[in-house]
Structure formats: structure tokens, C-alpha cells
Amino acid sequence: MNIHGALCPENFDSPFVEPVPVDGNSAVQLPEKNQANNPDKSVIHVIWDKAACHRDEAVKKWLARAGCRIHLIQLPTYCPHLNPAERMWAVLHQYVTHNKYCSIPMKFTEAAVKFFRKTISKNRRQFTDQVTDNFRMTSHQNFWVSE
């Protein structure tokens, strides 16, 4: 199952593109939904990893068009711990897969989609401590970011 999803840590808006092949076309659908869900924002910051679909020509073309309000922030390679959406995936697993068995893949898909559609908005306050964009470093001596 592939879900292309996003998360706004401020309001827990979590648009997603339903299970489809994850490619440049589905990658474009996500910032389109972000813009549609935030008509009052002049700039929308989107944090993305360097997945191949995020570097696709369709994405580059969409971001380069006039009137695009998306400001793309690319994470360094191999840094999922810097992406708040990855923290939401951990919560999804806690609710959907931990100590649960899905006899067929479609049951897992249904549970994951239900999580995005209902569970996030219902349990928003509970998730705020787990899913943040606050980061702490215990030691700066061995820390570096490379591109």
C-alpha cells in the first residue's frame, strides 16, 4: 500500500493522496491539497525528503508555475528524524498495526485511511506531544549535516 501524506504540526491538517502509485503525479497532488486547504496563507512551507517522486519533473514543473505558494524545504539525505510526518507514521502504526492482525491487505488499507480521515482529528490533542517539529540535540560535538 502506498499513501502519499502530509502533516501540518500547527493544526494537524493531514491531507493525503489515497493509495495510488507514488510518483511525480501523486507528489503534485499533495501540495495542491495543501494549497486548497490553506487559502489564507501566502506561503506554505513543505518539508520533503529526497525521495525520487519528490524530485520528479512533474513536481519541478508544478512548483515553478506562477502563483505557486509552496516553499519547498528539502531534508538532507537519510534524516527521517527531522520530518514531523515520520513521527505521524509512528503514531499510525501504534493505532493500526501494533497488536493487531489484518488478514488481508485491504483491511490494513481501510484501517490506515480511517486513521487519516477520523483518528487524527479526533485525537489531535493527544498527538501534539508525539508529533512536533521541535528537535533537541544532546550534544553538538558529533553533529553535522551534509548534502
Side-chain angles (χ1 to χ4, degrees):
M1 177 186 80
N2 293 314
I3 292 182
H4 211 142
L7 173 73
C8 176
E10 292 174 6
N11 62 11
F12 275 75
D13 177 33
S14 53
F16 66 98
V17 178
E18 296 219 23
V20 295
V22 175
D23 58 15
N25 293 325
S26 68
V28 167
Q29 291 176 37
L30 202 52
E32 283 176 342
K33 284 186 175 190
N34 283 328
Q35 281 196 163
N37 291 353
N38 297 285
D40 57 326
K41 305 244 188 227
S42 59
V43 177
I44 302 165
H45 299 279
V46 173
I47 300 171
W48 262 356
D49 59 21
K50 292 189 176 180
C53 62
H54 295 157
R55 297 174 307 198
D56 191 88
E57 277 305 311
V59 173
K60 291 176 185 174
K61 186 176 177 181
W62 190 87
L63 290 169
R65 77 192 200 304
C68 182
R69 296 180 290 131
I70 299 293
H71 175 252
L72 186 60
I73 301 166
Q74 291 255 243
L75 292 174
T77 306
Y78 303 116
C79 290
H81 57 286
L82 296 178
N83 191 343
E86 295 294 341
R87 295 172 190 206
M88 183 55 80
W89 287 119
V91 174
L92 174 137
H93 282 290
Q94 178 184 347
Y95 276 77
V96 174
T97 64
H98 291 186
N99 298 318
K100 296 175 180 80
Y101 173 71
C102 296
S103 57
I104 58 174
M106 190 53 132
K107 293 282 186 192
F108 173 74
T109 302
E110 290 170 1
V113 170
K114 179 182 175 189
F115 175 83
F116 280 106
R117 287 198 176 131
K118 296 180 180 175
T119 306
I120 291 175
S121 60
K122 182 179 171 185
N123 298 309
R124 176 184 166 191
R125 291 184 190 270
Q126 180 183 341
F127 295 158
T128 55
D129 288 339
Q130 292 173 279
V131 183
T132 70
D133 58 356
N134 295 328
F135 305 101
R136 284 183 236 144
M137 289 179 14
T138 56
S139 170
H140 68 281
Q141 294 170 344
N142 296 319
F143 179 80
W144 72 90
V145 175
S146 63
E147 293 262 339

